Amino acid sequence: VQLQASGGGLVQAGGSLKLSCALSGRTFSSYAMGWFRQAPGKEREFVAGISGSGRTTWYADFVKGRFTISRDNAKNTVYLQMNSLKREDTAVYYCAADPGGSVYYTEITKYAYWGQGTQVTVSS
């Protein structure tokens, strides 16, 4: 299984970005997917998760109402739409896959596969 994240970049505070993560493999719809981020000098933290069907989503409190996770199982891709970005959202964003398909997981150890990360920088 390989994950390829893309869509990061430089954006002004208040702006938007949409991240994408493509997964190679034939059983994408059975994977729960998550987005995590890691800012310089900080630990990696959970951002958002989505079930294999896409019907269930869960978020960290600090992104509720601003970020939306979604997926297109026909394209083996998960997305993270980020709106109303703040400087503190600056981080490397990682997508991750849980082949067990469990929902509501936020722990790093629950996700078996990881993408390479994409940098998001929010300027004031």
Side-chain angles (χ1 to χ4, degrees), residues 11-55:
V11 63
Q12 287 190 329
S16 299
L17 277 177
K18 187 173 185 177
L19 307 182
S20 300
C21 176
L23 182 146
S24 64
R26 295 176 292 175
T27 58
F28 178 69
S29 62
S30 68
Y31 290 72
M33 299 296 295
W35 284 97
F36 290 75
R37 70 185 188 186
Q38 188 166 17
K42 295 187 177 181
E43 294 185 350
R44 193 171 298 189
E45 62 183 357
F46 171 80
V47 175
I50 189 167
S51 63
S53 67
R55 288 192 290 268

Side-chain angles (χ1 to χ4, degrees), residues 38-124:
Q38 188 166 17
K42 295 187 177 181
E43 294 185 350
R44 193 171 298 189
E45 62 183 357
F46 171 80
V47 175
I50 189 167
S51 63
S53 67
R55 288 192 290 268
T56 302
T57 59
W58 55 104
Y59 298 91
D61 287 343
F62 55 78
V63 301
K64 284 182 180 178
R66 299 190 299 125
F67 291 10
T68 302
I69 189 171
S70 61
R71 66 191 295 158
D72 185 338
N73 285 347
K75 296 182 179 180
N76 280 19
T77 302
V78 62
Y79 305 97
L80 185 68
Q81 177 67 48
M82 305 185 294
N83 299 328
S84 302
L85 283 162
K86 306 175 182 180
R87 286 193 63 185
E88 51 264 44
D89 294 319
T90 295
V92 177
Y93 283 72
Y94 298 88
C95 57
D98 166 27
S102 299
V103 297
Y104 302 125
Y105 279 168
T106 62
E107 301 86 351
I108 292 172
T109 55
K110 297 297 185 180
Y111 292 82
Y113 305 107
W114 292 81
Q116 85 287 5
T118 184
Q119 176 71 46
V120 172
T121 303
V122 184
S123 64
S124 59

